[in-house]
Amino acid sequence: MSVNSPASPPAVLTIAGSDSGGGAGIQADLKTFMAHATYGLSAVVALTAQNTQSVQSVFAVPPSMISEQLDAVFSDISIKAAKTGMLMDCATIEAVVNAWKRNAPGIPLVVDPVMVATSGGRLLKEDAIDALRQKLLPLATLVTPNLREAEVLLDMPEHSIETIEEMQVAGREIGQRFGVPVVVVKGGHLANGPIVDVVFESKSQETTCIENPRVASTSTHGTGCTLSAAIAANLAKDMAPLDAVRYAIKYVNQAIQAAYPVGHGHGPVNHAYALTSLAIPPPTVQTPYPFTAYLKAHSNGLWDKYIRHAFVRQAGTGTLRRPAFIYYLKQDYIYLKHYARTNALAAFKSDTMREIGGMADIALGCARESELHVKMCSDWGISREEMENEQESWASVAYTRYILDKGTSSDLLELLVAMYPCLLGYGEAAVCQAEDPETVTEGNEYWPWISNYADAHFQDAVRKGRQQIEDLVQQEQPSQARLNRLLKTFVDTTALEIKFWDSALEV
Ligand SMILES: Cc1ncc(COP(=O)(O)O)c(N)n1
């Protein structure tokens, strides 16, 4: 129990059989208890293999186990009302009656004298009828026979109760003969017209007829169980018996009207028709902000490995071997052509003129950058033609085509995330070198390459690219699955960047 525990609702117990089809028996009772905002408990006295079409087999729970269930719940939980349903046989009835007497709960007991299922299966053995009459009914506060059950209880021939007057007589007779305070004779089986149920109250000796419109429906499986469970729940809430019955009948009537199709035979009523669906909202995913910081922080250390790569560090200190750098420049010249294409693709996928212009600017920036490569190479005696004829490395093929594939198979955000390690990484790596006191700027032939990415123009492009991703992510509020996909793309391209510089160092 927590500090803020709400008040406990009244507890209501059903002593009945299980319906594997979920429409009658224990299952209907517990659903009904819940729909009445009560706390439902159960002692299962039999199992049925049953669906909406038939009862296929019945298995009796041993009487000792019935006793144990009842002792267990009565000894611990303060139960406000109980009901019985299918009771199967003499031994079951005896176990229930003995446990009831032993625990003497002093609470209302509603007895639904279930005998035969709507679909035809026997739910109470012939020889148990007398035990029901003689042993259980004297304990009952209220009993709910239908016409056939009333006839059996009164030992009358079948179809001898066929009018409302005969129902009134039968109700009075059952009340008096078995000492039951309230008898509800259910008139559902009377042909045509509205449904009339008759309530006899011993105390006042009055009979009351409760009339309700008949609902044409085949979804009537479990209506008897549901009615007696609703009465028990209402009694648990301290309603007067007649009110408890009136409200219970209304509940069943509306639950039939609200029924939805289940199975191929007599479907169940809709026990939950008055319940609203769960008010708990689906879990929301907090969109990480800044998202680009989240990507770096969740790259398993790859991001740091990338921006502090030995290739850049050696370039920063001027210790990089020239063949490695020339190889890199030639490959990066090819890379830039594809990177310009990915920016053109991003422009194609953009919505606004401003975004299209921004992406086109970066594509132009790639062209400018590649001229720097040509210039540096020509200083070392390498012609533009030689650069054009360079065979593209697998590291470049893998990296650039991976990004282009993201661009063609996915959307703008995923493409931008795939492109981002290149843009941001060069910007960050260059700033790292610029800020490092051991970096050599004077006389370092690689410095023009680094300073190009550290300068304001490139840093401004980085800032714009970052903002574009942040805006798209905040706008979309991605699901966790989408966040995971974007992160994977970011991590993959960061790893491909590392491979690109690795391959230059291997030359
Ligand atoms: C376990 C169990 N208990 C009661 C009933 C009666 O309900 P119905 O008369 O609607 O078939 C049943 N079919 N199964």
mmCIF file of all heavy atoms in Angstrom, residues 168-205:
data_model
loop_
_atom_site.group_PDB
_atom_site.id
_atom_site.type_symbol
_atom_site.label_atom_id
_atom_site.label_comp_id
_atom_site.label_asym_id
_atom_site.label_seq_id
_atom_site.Cartn_x
_atom_site.Cartn_y
_atom_site.Cartn_z
ATOM 1 N N GLN A 168 -45.391 -14.486 -9.980
ATOM 2 C CA GLN A 168 -45.565 -13.875 -8.649
ATOM 3 C C GLN A 168 -45.836 -14.945 -7.600
ATOM 4 O O GLN A 168 -45.263 -14.937 -6.510
ATOM 5 C CB GLN A 168 -46.717 -12.859 -8.685
ATOM 6 C CG GLN A 168 -46.335 -11.601 -9.462
ATOM 7 C CD GLN A 168 -47.498 -10.661 -9.646
ATOM 8 O OE1 GLN A 168 -48.600 -11.075 -10.056
ATOM 9 N NE2 GLN A 168 -47.284 -9.392 -9.357
ATOM 10 N N VAL A 169 -46.681 -15.889 -7.964
ATOM 11 C CA VAL A 169 -47.007 -16.985 -7.038
ATOM 12 C C VAL A 169 -45.752 -17.806 -6.749
ATOM 13 O O VAL A 169 -45.457 -18.141 -5.591
ATOM 14 C CB VAL A 169 -48.135 -17.885 -7.629
ATOM 15 C CG1 VAL A 169 -48.342 -19.121 -6.764
ATOM 16 C CG2 VAL A 169 -49.418 -17.085 -7.779
ATOM 17 N N ALA A 170 -45.006 -18.103 -7.812
ATOM 18 C CA ALA A 170 -43.800 -18.926 -7.653
ATOM 19 C C ALA A 170 -42.781 -18.219 -6.764
ATOM 20 O O ALA A 170 -42.158 -18.838 -5.892
ATOM 21 C CB ALA A 170 -43.194 -19.239 -9.021
ATOM 22 N N GLY A 171 -42.606 -16.911 -6.967
ATOM 23 C CA GLY A 171 -41.654 -16.148 -6.157
ATOM 24 C C GLY A 171 -42.006 -16.225 -4.685
ATOM 25 O O GLY A 171 -41.156 -16.504 -3.828
ATOM 26 N N ARG A 172 -43.269 -15.988 -4.401
ATOM 27 C CA ARG A 172 -43.738 -16.047 -3.014
ATOM 28 C C ARG A 172 -43.519 -17.439 -2.423
ATOM 29 O O ARG A 172 -43.020 -17.598 -1.308
ATOM 30 C CB ARG A 172 -45.242 -15.702 -3.011
ATOM 31 C CG ARG A 172 -45.909 -15.691 -1.646
ATOM 32 C CD ARG A 172 -47.373 -15.349 -1.792
ATOM 33 N NE ARG A 172 -47.551 -14.010 -2.362
ATOM 34 C CZ ARG A 172 -47.653 -12.898 -1.633
ATOM 35 N NH1 ARG A 172 -47.601 -12.968 -0.316
ATOM 36 N NH2 ARG A 172 -47.803 -11.720 -2.204
ATOM 37 N N GLU A 173 -43.841 -18.444 -3.205
ATOM 38 C CA GLU A 173 -43.744 -19.834 -2.771
ATOM 39 C C GLU A 173 -42.286 -20.212 -2.432
ATOM 40 O O GLU A 173 -42.009 -20.821 -1.401
ATOM 41 C CB GLU A 173 -44.271 -20.729 -3.909
ATOM 42 C CG GLU A 173 -44.426 -22.178 -3.562
ATOM 43 C CD GLU A 173 -45.509 -22.430 -2.523
ATOM 44 O OE1 GLU A 173 -46.415 -21.568 -2.386
ATOM 45 O OE2 GLU A 173 -45.421 -23.467 -1.832
ATOM 46 N N ILE A 174 -41.358 -19.796 -3.313
ATOM 47 C CA ILE A 174 -39.935 -20.108 -3.084
ATOM 48 C C ILE A 174 -39.462 -19.401 -1.819
ATOM 49 O O ILE A 174 -38.784 -19.978 -0.963
ATOM 50 C CB ILE A 174 -39.069 -19.700 -4.307
ATOM 51 C CG1 ILE A 174 -39.383 -20.601 -5.496
ATOM 52 C CG2 ILE A 174 -37.570 -19.781 -3.984
ATOM 53 C CD1 ILE A 174 -38.778 -20.156 -6.816
ATOM 54 N N GLY A 175 -39.847 -18.113 -1.702
ATOM 55 C CA GLY A 175 -39.438 -17.329 -0.528
ATOM 56 C C GLY A 175 -39.907 -17.988 0.753
ATOM 57 O O GLY A 175 -39.132 -18.141 1.709
ATOM 58 N N GLN A 176 -41.145 -18.388 0.749
ATOM 59 C CA GLN A 176 -41.711 -18.945 1.976
ATOM 60 C C GLN A 176 -41.213 -20.354 2.249
ATOM 61 O O GLN A 176 -40.841 -20.692 3.368
ATOM 62 C CB GLN A 176 -43.237 -18.907 1.895
ATOM 63 C CG GLN A 176 -43.744 -17.482 2.004
ATOM 64 C CD GLN A 176 -45.228 -17.337 1.764
ATOM 65 O OE1 GLN A 176 -45.885 -18.268 1.266
ATOM 66 N NE2 GLN A 176 -45.778 -16.182 2.097
ATOM 67 N N ARG A 177 -41.207 -21.190 1.215
ATOM 68 C CA ARG A 177 -40.861 -22.598 1.438
ATOM 69 C C ARG A 177 -39.397 -22.783 1.864
ATOM 70 O O ARG A 177 -39.091 -23.604 2.718
ATOM 71 C CB ARG A 177 -41.136 -23.411 0.163
ATOM 72 C CG ARG A 177 -41.250 -24.890 0.530
ATOM 73 C CD ARG A 177 -41.405 -25.822 -0.637
ATOM 74 N NE ARG A 177 -42.609 -25.604 -1.431
ATOM 75 C CZ ARG A 177 -42.864 -26.316 -2.542
ATOM 76 N NH1 ARG A 177 -42.022 -27.235 -2.951
ATOM 77 N NH2 ARG A 177 -43.954 -26.096 -3.230
ATOM 78 N N PHE A 178 -38.476 -21.971 1.267
ATOM 79 C CA PHE A 178 -37.054 -22.179 1.568
ATOM 80 C C PHE A 178 -36.464 -21.095 2.470
ATOM 81 O O PHE A 178 -35.263 -21.089 2.745
ATOM 82 C CB PHE A 178 -36.252 -22.281 0.268
ATOM 83 C CG PHE A 178 -36.779 -23.346 -0.652
ATOM 84 C CD1 PHE A 178 -37.395 -23.015 -1.849
ATOM 85 C CD2 PHE A 178 -36.692 -24.691 -0.305
ATOM 86 C CE1 PHE A 178 -37.895 -24.001 -2.690
ATOM 87 C CE2 PHE A 178 -37.184 -25.688 -1.134
ATOM 88 C CZ PHE A 178 -37.808 -25.350 -2.336
ATOM 89 N N GLY A 179 -37.318 -20.186 2.897
ATOM 90 C CA GLY A 179 -36.855 -19.146 3.819
ATOM 91 C C GLY A 179 -35.851 -18.196 3.194
ATOM 92 O O GLY A 179 -34.872 -17.803 3.832
ATOM 93 N N VAL A 180 -36.102 -17.836 1.922
ATOM 94 C CA VAL A 180 -35.191 -16.882 1.268
ATOM 95 C C VAL A 180 -35.830 -15.496 1.328
ATOM 96 O O VAL A 180 -36.958 -15.314 0.864
ATOM 97 C CB VAL A 180 -34.926 -17.278 -0.203
ATOM 98 C CG1 VAL A 180 -33.866 -16.366 -0.817
ATOM 99 C CG2 VAL A 180 -34.482 -18.731 -0.299
ATOM 100 N N PRO A 181 -35.113 -14.494 1.864
ATOM 101 C CA PRO A 181 -35.710 -13.155 2.025
ATOM 102 C C PRO A 181 -36.171 -12.495 0.724
ATOM 103 O O PRO A 181 -37.198 -11.849 0.694
ATOM 104 C CB PRO A 181 -34.594 -12.341 2.685
ATOM 105 C CG PRO A 181 -33.722 -13.349 3.364
ATOM 106 C CD PRO A 181 -33.786 -14.587 2.519
ATOM 107 N N VAL A 182 -35.367 -12.648 -0.332
ATOM 108 C CA VAL A 182 -35.750 -11.987 -1.598
ATOM 109 C C VAL A 182 -35.642 -13.003 -2.745
ATOM 110 O O VAL A 182 -34.631 -13.698 -2.868
ATOM 111 C CB VAL A 182 -34.830 -10.775 -1.921
ATOM 112 C CG1 VAL A 182 -35.327 -10.040 -3.171
ATOM 113 C CG2 VAL A 182 -34.748 -9.820 -0.728
ATOM 114 N N VAL A 183 -36.701 -13.087 -3.550
ATOM 115 C CA VAL A 183 -36.683 -14.002 -4.696
ATOM 116 C C VAL A 183 -36.888 -13.180 -5.970
ATOM 117 O O VAL A 183 -37.832 -12.388 -6.053
ATOM 118 C CB VAL A 183 -37.796 -15.071 -4.591
ATOM 119 C CG1 VAL A 183 -37.714 -16.057 -5.758
ATOM 120 C CG2 VAL A 183 -37.692 -15.817 -3.256
ATOM 121 N N VAL A 184 -35.989 -13.368 -6.925
ATOM 122 C CA VAL A 184 -36.148 -12.687 -8.222
ATOM 123 C C VAL A 184 -36.454 -13.772 -9.249
ATOM 124 O O VAL A 184 -35.601 -14.611 -9.549
ATOM 125 C CB VAL A 184 -34.851 -11.946 -8.627
ATOM 126 C CG1 VAL A 184 -35.031 -11.244 -9.978
ATOM 127 C CG2 VAL A 184 -34.423 -10.957 -7.546
ATOM 128 N N VAL A 185 -37.691 -13.798 -9.741
ATOM 129 C CA VAL A 185 -38.040 -14.763 -10.791
ATOM 130 C C VAL A 185 -37.846 -14.052 -12.125
ATOM 131 O O VAL A 185 -38.495 -13.041 -12.404
ATOM 132 C CB VAL A 185 -39.486 -15.276 -10.638
ATOM 133 C CG1 VAL A 185 -39.778 -16.351 -11.692
ATOM 134 C CG2 VAL A 185 -39.706 -15.840 -9.238
ATOM 135 N N LYS A 186 -36.911 -14.599 -12.922
ATOM 136 C CA LYS A 186 -36.522 -13.920 -14.162
ATOM 137 C C LYS A 186 -37.453 -14.330 -15.297
ATOM 138 O O LYS A 186 -37.628 -15.517 -15.582
ATOM 139 C CB LYS A 186 -35.078 -14.268 -14.524
ATOM 140 C CG LYS A 186 -34.081 -13.834 -13.434
ATOM 141 C CD LYS A 186 -32.662 -14.186 -13.781
ATOM 142 C CE LYS A 186 -32.382 -15.675 -13.691
ATOM 143 N NZ LYS A 186 -30.949 -16.005 -13.799
ATOM 144 N N GLY A 187 -38.025 -13.317 -15.964
ATOM 145 C CA GLY A 187 -39.054 -13.607 -16.981
ATOM 146 C C GLY A 187 -38.543 -13.626 -18.399
ATOM 147 O O GLY A 187 -39.346 -13.664 -19.335
ATOM 148 N N GLY A 188 -37.231 -13.615 -18.580
ATOM 149 C CA GLY A 188 -36.669 -13.556 -19.934
ATOM 150 C C GLY A 188 -37.207 -14.615 -20.881
ATOM 151 O O GLY A 188 -37.285 -14.391 -22.084
ATOM 152 N N HIS A 189 -37.588 -15.767 -20.339
ATOM 153 C CA HIS A 189 -38.036 -16.844 -21.219
ATOM 154 C C HIS A 189 -39.512 -16.789 -21.551
ATOM 155 O O HIS A 189 -40.010 -17.610 -22.324
ATOM 156 C CB HIS A 189 -37.672 -18.214 -20.611
ATOM 157 C CG HIS A 189 -36.189 -18.417 -20.548
ATOM 158 N ND1 HIS A 189 -35.542 -18.889 -19.419
ATOM 159 C CD2 HIS A 189 -35.215 -18.162 -21.449
ATOM 160 C CE1 HIS A 189 -34.233 -18.935 -19.644
ATOM 161 N NE2 HIS A 189 -34.018 -18.498 -20.877
ATOM 162 N N LEU A 190 -40.224 -15.815 -20.970
ATOM 163 C CA LEU A 190 -41.638 -15.652 -21.361
ATOM 164 C C LEU A 190 -41.662 -15.093 -22.776
ATOM 165 O O LEU A 190 -40.927 -14.164 -23.080
ATOM 166 C CB LEU A 190 -42.350 -14.656 -20.434
ATOM 167 C CG LEU A 190 -42.977 -15.184 -19.149
ATOM 168 C CD1 LEU A 190 -43.863 -14.094 -18.537
ATOM 169 C CD2 LEU A 190 -43.822 -16.432 -19.396
ATOM 170 N N ALA A 191 -42.538 -15.632 -23.597
ATOM 171 C CA ALA A 191 -42.512 -15.243 -25.004
ATOM 172 C C ALA A 191 -42.949 -13.794 -25.211
ATOM 173 O O ALA A 191 -43.849 -13.305 -24.526
ATOM 174 C CB ALA A 191 -43.423 -16.173 -25.797
ATOM 175 N N ASN A 192 -42.296 -13.145 -26.176
ATOM 176 C CA ASN A 192 -42.692 -11.814 -26.687
ATOM 177 C C ASN A 192 -42.845 -10.720 -25.636
ATOM 178 O O ASN A 192 -42.705 -10.954 -24.441
ATOM 179 C CB ASN A 192 -43.999 -11.921 -27.490
ATOM 180 C CG ASN A 192 -43.829 -12.941 -28.598
ATOM 181 O OD1 ASN A 192 -42.741 -13.086 -29.153
ATOM 182 N ND2 ASN A 192 -44.894 -13.667 -28.892
ATOM 183 N N GLY A 193 -43.128 -9.525 -26.122
ATOM 184 C CA GLY A 193 -43.386 -8.370 -25.265
ATOM 185 C C GLY A 193 -42.177 -7.955 -24.457
ATOM 186 O O GLY A 193 -41.096 -8.525 -24.603
ATOM 187 N N PRO A 194 -42.349 -6.965 -23.595
ATOM 188 C CA PRO A 194 -41.231 -6.524 -22.752
ATOM 189 C C PRO A 194 -40.866 -7.624 -21.765
ATOM 190 O O PRO A 194 -41.677 -8.527 -21.499
ATOM 191 C CB PRO A 194 -41.795 -5.295 -22.046
ATOM 192 C CG PRO A 194 -43.270 -5.362 -22.171
ATOM 193 C CD PRO A 194 -43.584 -6.199 -23.366
ATOM 194 N N ILE A 195 -39.669 -7.529 -21.223
ATOM 195 C CA ILE A 195 -39.249 -8.539 -20.240
ATOM 196 C C ILE A 195 -39.711 -8.081 -18.857
ATOM 197 O O ILE A 195 -39.468 -6.943 -18.452
ATOM 198 C CB ILE A 195 -37.734 -8.723 -20.254
ATOM 199 C CG1 ILE A 195 -37.333 -9.381 -21.579
ATOM 200 C CG2 ILE A 195 -37.264 -9.564 -19.072
ATOM 201 C CD1 ILE A 195 -35.888 -9.727 -21.703
ATOM 202 N N VAL A 196 -40.403 -8.986 -18.160
ATOM 203 C CA VAL A 196 -40.843 -8.654 -16.804
ATOM 204 C C VAL A 196 -40.157 -9.607 -15.833
ATOM 205 O O VAL A 196 -40.215 -10.828 -15.995
ATOM 206 C CB VAL A 196 -42.373 -8.772 -16.680
ATOM 207 C CG1 VAL A 196 -42.822 -8.468 -15.245
ATOM 208 C CG2 VAL A 196 -43.075 -7.842 -17.657
ATOM 209 N N ASP A 197 -39.475 -9.038 -14.850
ATOM 210 C CA ASP A 197 -38.886 -9.836 -13.775
ATOM 211 C C ASP A 197 -39.691 -9.534 -12.514
ATOM 212 O O ASP A 197 -40.121 -8.402 -12.294
ATOM 213 C CB ASP A 197 -37.418 -9.449 -13.575
ATOM 214 C CG ASP A 197 -36.587 -9.725 -14.831
ATOM 215 O OD1 ASP A 197 -36.573 -10.879 -15.292
ATOM 216 O OD2 ASP A 197 -35.974 -8.772 -15.356
ATOM 217 N N VAL A 198 -39.899 -10.561 -11.706
ATOM 218 C CA VAL A 198 -40.749 -10.395 -10.521
ATOM 219 C C VAL A 198 -39.896 -10.540 -9.263
ATOM 220 O O VAL A 198 -39.122 -11.488 -9.148
ATOM 221 C CB VAL A 198 -41.878 -11.451 -10.532
ATOM 222 C CG1 VAL A 198 -42.631 -11.461 -9.208
ATOM 223 C CG2 VAL A 198 -42.834 -11.181 -11.685
ATOM 224 N N VAL A 199 -40.033 -9.585 -8.356
ATOM 225 C CA VAL A 199 -39.261 -9.633 -7.114
ATOM 226 C C VAL A 199 -40.228 -9.821 -5.944
ATOM 227 O O VAL A 199 -41.171 -9.043 -5.770
ATOM 228 C CB VAL A 199 -38.470 -8.323 -6.893
ATOM 229 C CG1 VAL A 199 -37.603 -8.422 -5.636
ATOM 230 C CG2 VAL A 199 -37.607 -8.005 -8.114
ATOM 231 N N PHE A 200 -39.991 -10.874 -5.176
ATOM 232 C CA PHE A 200 -40.789 -11.094 -3.964
ATOM 233 C C PHE A 200 -39.905 -10.824 -2.756
ATOM 234 O O PHE A 200 -38.794 -11.344 -2.650
ATOM 235 C CB PHE A 200 -41.327 -12.527 -3.908
ATOM 236 C CG PHE A 200 -41.922 -12.855 -2.572
ATOM 237 C CD1 PHE A 200 -43.180 -12.367 -2.197
ATOM 238 C CD2 PHE A 200 -41.218 -13.634 -1.640
ATOM 239 C CE1 PHE A 200 -43.718 -12.655 -0.946
ATOM 240 C CE2 PHE A 200 -41.756 -13.929 -0.390
ATOM 241 C CZ PHE A 200 -43.005 -13.432 -0.039
ATOM 242 N N GLU A 201 -40.416 -9.985 -1.836
ATOM 243 C CA GLU A 201 -39.659 -9.689 -0.615
ATOM 244 C C GLU A 201 -40.422 -10.242 0.587
ATOM 245 O O GLU A 201 -41.555 -9.815 0.855
ATOM 246 C CB GLU A 201 -39.436 -8.184 -0.464
ATOM 247 C CG GLU A 201 -38.482 -7.628 -1.523
ATOM 248 C CD GLU A 201 -38.314 -6.127 -1.412
ATOM 249 O OE1 GLU A 201 -39.213 -5.398 -1.859
ATOM 250 O OE2 GLU A 201 -37.286 -5.693 -0.873
ATOM 251 N N SER A 202 -39.814 -11.160 1.311
ATOM 252 C CA SER A 202 -40.492 -11.834 2.420
ATOM 253 C C SER A 202 -40.897 -10.870 3.516
ATOM 254 O O SER A 202 -41.973 -10.984 4.102
ATOM 255 C CB SER A 202 -39.585 -12.898 3.038
ATOM 256 O OG SER A 202 -39.268 -13.854 2.076
ATOM 257 N N LYS A 203 -40.006 -9.901 3.769
ATOM 258 C CA LYS A 203 -40.247 -8.995 4.891
ATOM 259 C C LYS A 203 -41.568 -8.242 4.723
ATOM 260 O O LYS A 203 -42.413 -8.223 5.620
ATOM 261 C CB LYS A 203 -39.089 -8.004 4.986
ATOM 262 C CG LYS A 203 -38.933 -7.360 6.328
ATOM 263 C CD LYS A 203 -37.527 -6.773 6.435
ATOM 264 C CE LYS A 203 -37.512 -5.613 7.415
ATOM 265 N NZ LYS A 203 -36.378 -4.755 7.141
ATOM 266 N N SER A 204 -41.754 -7.677 3.529
ATOM 267 C CA SER A 204 -42.980 -6.909 3.282
ATOM 268 C C SER A 204 -44.070 -7.773 2.666
ATOM 269 O O SER A 204 -45.208 -7.333 2.519
ATOM 270 C CB SER A 204 -42.664 -5.738 2.357
ATOM 271 O OG SER A 204 -42.167 -6.259 1.127
ATOM 272 N N GLN A 205 -43.662 -8.970 2.268
ATOM 273 C CA GLN A 205 -44.563 -9.884 1.561
ATOM 274 C C GLN A 205 -45.062 -9.289 0.246
ATOM 275 O O GLN A 205 -46.108 -9.660 -0.265
ATOM 276 C CB GLN A 205 -45.771 -10.241 2.452
ATOM 277 C CG GLN A 205 -45.407 -11.089 3.653
ATOM 278 C CD GLN A 205 -45.067 -12.533 3.264
ATOM 279 O OE1 GLN A 205 -45.898 -13.229 2.662
ATOM 280 N NE2 GLN A 205 -43.868 -12.974 3.558
#
